[in-house]
Amino acid sequence: PDSAWNRRAEELFREWAARCEVTGRFSFEECQSLVCRGMDVDGEYFVLKTRDGFGRPALQLIETHRVGDPTGETSDGLVLDRTGRPVSYRLLEDDGHRDIPASSMLHIFEP
């Protein structure tokens, strides 16, 4: 109900959304468009909630082929608990892989 707070929050979001992606190349709208196109091609997309070099919140777009597991230790790169809930996502990198906590990753897909 605080209109001054609402205006400031909208202003801060607009500022962040202008270049919200970790490389500083894409706006929030452009990120949404890239994710939608990726979904049309691959059926899913991943977005890592991270921080940029200055410590500000940022998004990192991750194409589907970068989540997986050549060792077979996970279910297609997803580590699941006993109920099937995602615990982490295995991100493939040039020098191996790293596991990203599920709380830091948006897995966008049509169930």
Side-chain angles (χ1 to χ4, degrees), residues 78-81 83-89 101-103 107 109:
L78 278 71
V79 177
L80 306 171
D81 71 9
T83 66
R85 181 185 202 129
V87 173
S88 64
Y89 295 86
S103 61
H107 182 188
F109 64 99

Side-chain angles (χ1 to χ4, degrees), residues 26-90:
F26 305 116
S27 69
F28 190 63
E29 183 178 343
E30 290 167 321
C31 287
Q32 290 174 322
S33 179
L34 289 165
V35 168
C36 287
R37 274 189 261 148
M39 291 231 357
D40 289 344
V41 172
D42 297 322
E44 64 184 338
Y45 212 91
F46 298 87
V47 179
L48 176 61
K49 298 181 287 183
T50 188
R51 296 199 176 266
D52 67 13
F54 300 103
R56 297 175 298 215
L59 302 176
Q60 180 179 351
L61 304 179
I62 300 173
E63 295 171 321
T64 301
H65 71 273
R66 294 198 51 222
V67 174
D69 186 6
T71 67
E73 297 172 345
T74 68
S75 177
D76 294 326
L78 278 71
V79 177
L80 306 171
D81 71 9
R82 60 181 169 70
T83 66
R85 181 185 202 129
V87 173
S88 64
Y89 295 86
R90 183 148 295 169

